[in-house]
Amino acid sequence: MEFKEAKNKFIQTWGALGSQWGINKTMAQIHALLMVSAEPLSMEDVMDELLISRGNASMNLRALMDWGIVYKEYKSGERKEFFTAEKDLDELAVKIAKERSKREIKPALKVLKDVSSINRATSLETKHFVEQTSKLYDFVLKADNMIDKVTEIKDNWIGRLVMKIMR
Amino acid sequence: MEFKEAKNKFIQTWGALGSQWGINKTMAQIHALLMVSAEPLSMEDVMDELLISRGNASMNLRALMDWGIVYKEYKSGERKEFFTAEKDLDELAVKIAKERSKREIKPALKVLKDVSSINRATSLETKHFVEQTSKLYDFVLKADNMIDKVTEIKDNWIGRLVMKIMR
DNA sequence: TTAAAGTTTCAATATAAAATGAAAGTTTAA
DNA sequence: TTAAACTTTCATTTTATATTGAAACTTTAA
């Protein structure tokens, strides 16, 4: 396989993976492209490489910056803006996890809490509902907390030990 | 809030969360409905509760069974088929994780491995590409392996200890 | 200032994904 | 063995999502 072919395959795959996980295809593709680019790219560059419109490029670059995983850069002497991706993968994972937690998990947790707090003194049906949603609340909360814990892992010895055991 | 209202809110929220994570809305809603139903439900029941067509119900119940998180049941004397959801949340999480790993992560890993193995003796550009995709391969592999490890956690003392520390 | 270079916005359009529903298929009890 | 009860399939339609592109906006250098 040749460089150009490999690069394209990578970008397509990353895009597909993204959309399977609820991240829009172009956004994932732009991120992939920037990840493997040695140099920062301009919006033109991105448009040309991925064959997408200016508007699409603009909107998705903005979204990636909102997620904190793509940065704007300026080159001296150049008027254009350039973009680079976060290349530290631990950092990348943490940012994605935190962002999704904030946008999706936290609001869902709120609803779970609300619906599991209805008056349980009534029917058997209601009792079962409250029981299940309460369990779910605890579970999701615990899972969500793990994200924060993982962030701290590298800062403490037991965390590093655990990582070694988990390999 | 009243039972019926709470139940509906839960189902809608779970459906929305699902589609944000690449699982189709109806599939997530059916799962939610079965999760909080004290009794197994028939396909009719599901159709009526969620106001969906027979075809839709059939296809998504089948998909949920393929994922191994919904089971078919028979009631004696009844000709209809009934459905229940996996209600053990640890079990549920493991099954979802395994299934997504199998369907999405594993194929992506294969591609990552392939593209990171192109001849690296060429340009600087190529060198950077190989470097990045190799790192990504290692990272995704590690993350994916964690799923298996988590499965085993409950079976060994260090795992339980870790869970306590992570709380 | 102003006009050229560049970026953003958003209504309109295209694309992809999900849902419908009727026909075909299957199972079961009489 | 057949007809009623029930389930599955899939071509068509609907809905949701992503993309385009041209106009509006912003910035900068002369």
Side-chain angles (χ1 to χ4, degrees):
Chain A
M1 190 159 29
E2 197 222 323
F3 171 60
K4 231 179 133 180
E5 187 192 346
K7 184 171 162 187
N8 191 56
K9 197 168 177 187
F10 170 66
I11 291 172
Q12 298 309 322
T13 304
W14 211 238
L17 196 65
S19 51
Q20 273 163 330
W21 286 82
I23 285 152
N24 101 42
K25 191 185 68 178
T26 305
M27 190 169 154
Q29 285 183 342
I30 294 178
H31 183 254
L33 172 62
L34 293 176
M35 283 271 288
V36 297
S37 295
E39 289 297 308
L41 301 184
S42 70
M43 197 182 287
E44 289 295 319
D45 294 336
V46 172
M47 287 162 58
D48 293 351
E49 286 264 10
L50 304 180
L51 302 172
I52 58 173
S53 72
R54 189 170 291 286
N56 198 4
S58 172
M59 276 162 53
N60 281 298
L61 279 166
R62 142 82 44 161
L64 284 163
M65 289 192 296
D66 288 347
W67 278 60
I69 58 179
V70 159
Y71 311 113
K72 213 180 249 191
E73 287 195 3
Y74 296 96
K75 285 190 188 174
S76 50
E78 290 262 29
R79 185 144 159 201
K80 265 203 280 282
E81 299 172 337
F82 291 82
F83 301 88
T84 28
E86 173 64 62
K87 277 168 191 167
D88 177 336
L89 296 177
D90 290 328
E91 195 58 31
L92 177 68
V94 165
K95 283 193 168 164
I96 291 175
K98 280 197 172 165
E99 203 64 21
R100 296 205 80 152
S101 166
K102 193 174 77 188
R103 294 180 193 214
E104 296 149 21
I105 314 281
K106 295 285 192 310
L109 270 174
K110 195 191 164 318
V111 173
L112 273 177
K113 194 172 197 171
D114 291 350
V115 300
S116 64
S117 319
I118 58 172
N119 180 19
R120 63 183 307 161
T122 41
S123 70
L124 211 109
E125 203 182 15
T126 306
K127 221 169 150 184
H128 181 264
F129 175 82
V130 170
E131 214 168 279
Q132 277 301 119
T133 51
S134 300
K135 273 189 202 161
L136 204 49
Y137 174 78
D138 293 342
F139 186 85
V140 175
L141 185 64
K142 207 161 66 181
D144 187 54
N145 280 338
M146 273 198 190
I147 291 167
D148 299 329
K149 300 289 172 191
V150 169
T151 314
E152 298 159 16
I153 274 184
K154 279 178 298 184
D155 305 334
N156 65 59
W157 71 268
I158 186 109
R160 283 193 300 274
L161 175 63
V162 167
M163 288 310 281
K164 247 175 215 160
I165 295 164
M166 303 275 265
R167 229 230 344 117
Chain B
M1 192 158 28
E2 196 223 321
F3 171 60
K4 231 179 131 181
E5 188 192 345
K7 183 172 162 187
N8 192 56
K9 197 169 178 186
F10 170 66
I11 290 172
Q12 297 309 320
T13 304
W14 210 239
L17 196 66
S19 52
Q20 274 163 331
W21 287 82
I23 286 152
N24 102 42
K25 192 186 66 177
T26 304
M27 189 168 153
Q29 286 184 342
I30 294 178
H31 184 253
L33 172 61
L34 293 176
M35 284 271 288
V36 297
S37 295
E39 289 297 309
L41 300 185
S42 70
M43 198 184 285
E44 291 291 322
D45 294 336
V46 171
M47 288 163 59
D48 293 350
E49 285 265 11
L50 304 179
L51 302 172
I52 58 174
S53 71
R54 190 170 292 285
N56 198 5
S58 173
M59 276 162 51
N60 282 297
L61 279 167
R62 140 85 40 163
L64 285 163
M65 289 191 297
D66 288 347
W67 278 61
I69 58 178
V70 159
Y71 312 112
K72 214 181 249 190
E73 288 195 3
Y74 296 96
K75 285 190 187 175
S76 51
E78 289 261 29
R79 184 141 159 204
K80 265 203 280 280
E81 299 172 337
F82 291 81
F83 301 89
T84 28
E86 174 61 64
K87 277 166 191 168
D88 176 336
L89 296 177
D90 290 328
E91 195 57 31
L92 177 67
V94 165
K95 283 193 167 164
I96 291 175
K98 280 197 172 165
E99 203 63 23
R100 296 205 80 152
S101 166
K102 191 174 78 189
R103 295 180 193 213
E104 297 148 20
I105 314 280
K106 295 284 193 312
L109 269 173
K110 195 191 164 318
V111 173
L112 272 177
K113 193 172 197 172
D114 291 349
V115 299
S116 65
S117 319
I118 59 172
N119 179 20
R120 61 185 307 160
T122 40
S123 69
L124 212 108
E125 203 182 15
T126 306
K127 221 170 150 184
H128 181 264
F129 175 82
V130 171
E131 214 166 280
Q132 277 301 120
T133 51
S134 300
K135 273 188 201 163
L136 204 49
Y137 174 78
D138 292 341
F139 186 85
V140 175
L141 186 64
K142 208 160 66 183
D144 187 52
N145 280 338
M146 274 198 189
I147 291 167
D148 299 329
K149 299 290 172 191
V150 168
T151 314
E152 297 160 16
I153 274 185
K154 280 178 296 183
D155 304 335
N156 65 57
W157 70 269
I158 186 114
R160 284 193 298 274
L161 174 64
V162 167
M163 289 309 280
K164 249 176 212 159
I165 294 163
M166 303 275 265
R167 234 241 334 120

